[in-house]
Amino acid sequence: MKSTPIELKYILVLILAFASGTSCAQVKFKQGDEFQRQIVTKSNCVLQRGSQTLHVGSVSTVVKSYKVTDASEKGASFIITTDKLIDTINAMNQNLVYHSGKPADPNSVIQVGLQKMLNNQSIVSINSKGEVLSLKRPVVINDTLLSFAGIQPERLSPGTTLQFMVDFPVSLTLKKGYTWKIATSSAETNYTVYAINGPTTVITYKTSVLGSSLNSRINGSILIDNNTGVILKRYSQSVSTGYEMVNGIVYTATRRTAVTEICNKK
């Protein structure tokens, strides 16, 4: 089977990255390192079923800490903790506000569900590329609740990349304007190197996600720490169309989402 020009370009990226010895995907953590990641999500969703239309707007702020409990050349182990959660939901002319610094309303299914996220800890081990090898997660949060609340879920499963790290190699030998594409069975992402300097790299990207209940178009940019592969800042805007289920009823859906992430080493 012959390689396409796109495949050859991506292979070249990999060769340059590993030949230079400065790949972002090579983990360089020390025991005791701790990172704090804040994710702010603004979402507006229109759900429709026949003549019935439901508007749902939300703004959420989630703060998580990633503490390195063990580190070597082979990888590292983390304890991931949700330290703070603020969520505001506007739906059906009602306003719900949840703040993790205050007691949850025991009569609110949403507030009680969100409360379970607070101080919820996951123990994760990764290899030298940032890929999850194993994890222990005591409480699994309902995806429908997270979607309704406009909160970005942290996809932790063996083989995936820890979410505050990049999942591709970037070499300092690459130049501004260089582009490449990564495609899977359900998504296609086009990357462009926007800027490279000594400590950081800026990359912009466009992603198309197809084949699920919601098809999405995403535009974004990421600022990467070249030493660790940690994403220092990420901003994305997305438009998703398809269908969602609410209380067992299927609605057609259009969702617009803006996400801003900032990660700092403590």
Side-chain angles (χ1 to χ4, degrees):
M1 180 181 296
K2 293 184 178 180
S3 297
T4 67
I6 292 175
E7 289 172 335
L8 291 173
K9 180 182 285 189
Y10 183 52
I11 292 170
L12 177 60
V13 173
L14 293 175
I15 292 173
L16 289 173
F18 289 107
S20 69
T22 55
S23 168
C24 282
Q26 296 300 312
V27 175
K28 295 181 181 179
F29 296 117
K30 295 184 297 183
Q31 183 176 350
D33 283 351
E34 188 169 358
F35 300 85
Q36 186 178 73
R37 178 169 168 246
Q38 176 178 279
I39 309 103
V40 178
T41 306
K42 298 179 181 180
S43 176
N44 287 287
C45 185
V46 178
L47 303 173
Q48 191 159 4
R49 182 173 181 264
S51 60
Q52 183 182 9
T53 301
L54 173 64
H55 295 267
V56 180
S58 63
V59 179
S60 70
T61 299
V62 181
V63 178
K64 296 184 178 185
S65 61
Y66 297 72
K67 186 172 183 178
V68 180
T69 57
D70 188 32
S72 69
E73 293 181 355
K74 296 182 179 180
S77 297
F78 290 82
I79 293 179
I80 304 174
T81 306
T82 300
D83 299 320
K84 182 178 180 181
L85 173 58
I86 302 172
D87 196 48
T88 301
I89 305 171
N90 296 290
M92 296 179 290
N93 297 318
Q94 295 185 1
N95 187 46
L96 180 147
V97 179
Y98 170 78
H99 194 301
S100 59
K102 302 178 181 179
D105 181 353
N107 298 315
S108 171
V109 175
I110 296 175
Q111 289 203 27
V112 171
L114 294 177
Q115 185 74 20
K116 292 180 181 179
M117 293 181 62
L118 189 65
N119 298 320
N120 184 17
Q121 291 188 336
S122 298
I123 301 173
V124 182
S125 295
I126 62 173
N127 62 19
S128 62
K129 297 179 182 180
E131 297 170 341
V132 175
L133 299 175
S134 64
L135 84 122
K136 295 180 181 179
R137 184 167 47 188
V139 178
V140 178
I141 307 301
N142 186 284
D143 281 346
T144 301
L145 171 63
L146 294 180
S147 178
F148 185 77
I151 296 173
Q152 299 295 303
E154 182 147 30
R155 304 296 185 187
L156 290 173
S157 61
T160 61
T161 303
L162 200 61
Q163 202 159 351
F164 81 134
M165 300 181 64
V166 292
D167 57 359
F168 55 84
V170 177
S171 168
L172 298 182
T173 61
L174 298 180
K175 301 298 182 182
K176 178 180 178 179
Y178 194 90
T179 64
W180 74 98
K181 179 173 72 174
I182 297 179
T184 67
S185 59
S186 60
E188 179 179 293
T189 303
N190 290 277
Y191 295 97
T192 300
V193 178
Y194 183 81
I196 295 182
N197 57 43
T200 60
T201 296
V202 178
I203 290 177
T204 59
Y205 63 93
K206 295 182 179 181
T207 300
S208 298
V209 181
L210 304 173
S212 62
S213 59
L214 285 175
N215 297 326
S216 302
R217 305 285 182 181
I218 307 167
N219 293 326
S221 63
I222 50 179
L223 174 66
I224 306 164
D225 182 326
N226 290 336
N227 186 52
T228 62
V230 168
I231 297 173
L232 302 175
K233 293 182 181 180
R234 170 161 35 198
Y235 179 73
S236 67
Q237 288 186 315
S238 66
V239 177
S240 302
T241 57
Y243 63 89
E244 287 194 14
M245 183 173 292
V246 180
N247 294 329
I249 300 175
V250 177
Y251 290 81
T252 58
T254 300
R255 181 188 294 272
R256 298 180 183 274
T257 306
V259 182
T260 302
E261 299 179 27
I262 298 176
C263 185
N264 296 302
K265 186 176 181 181
K266 288 188 174 181

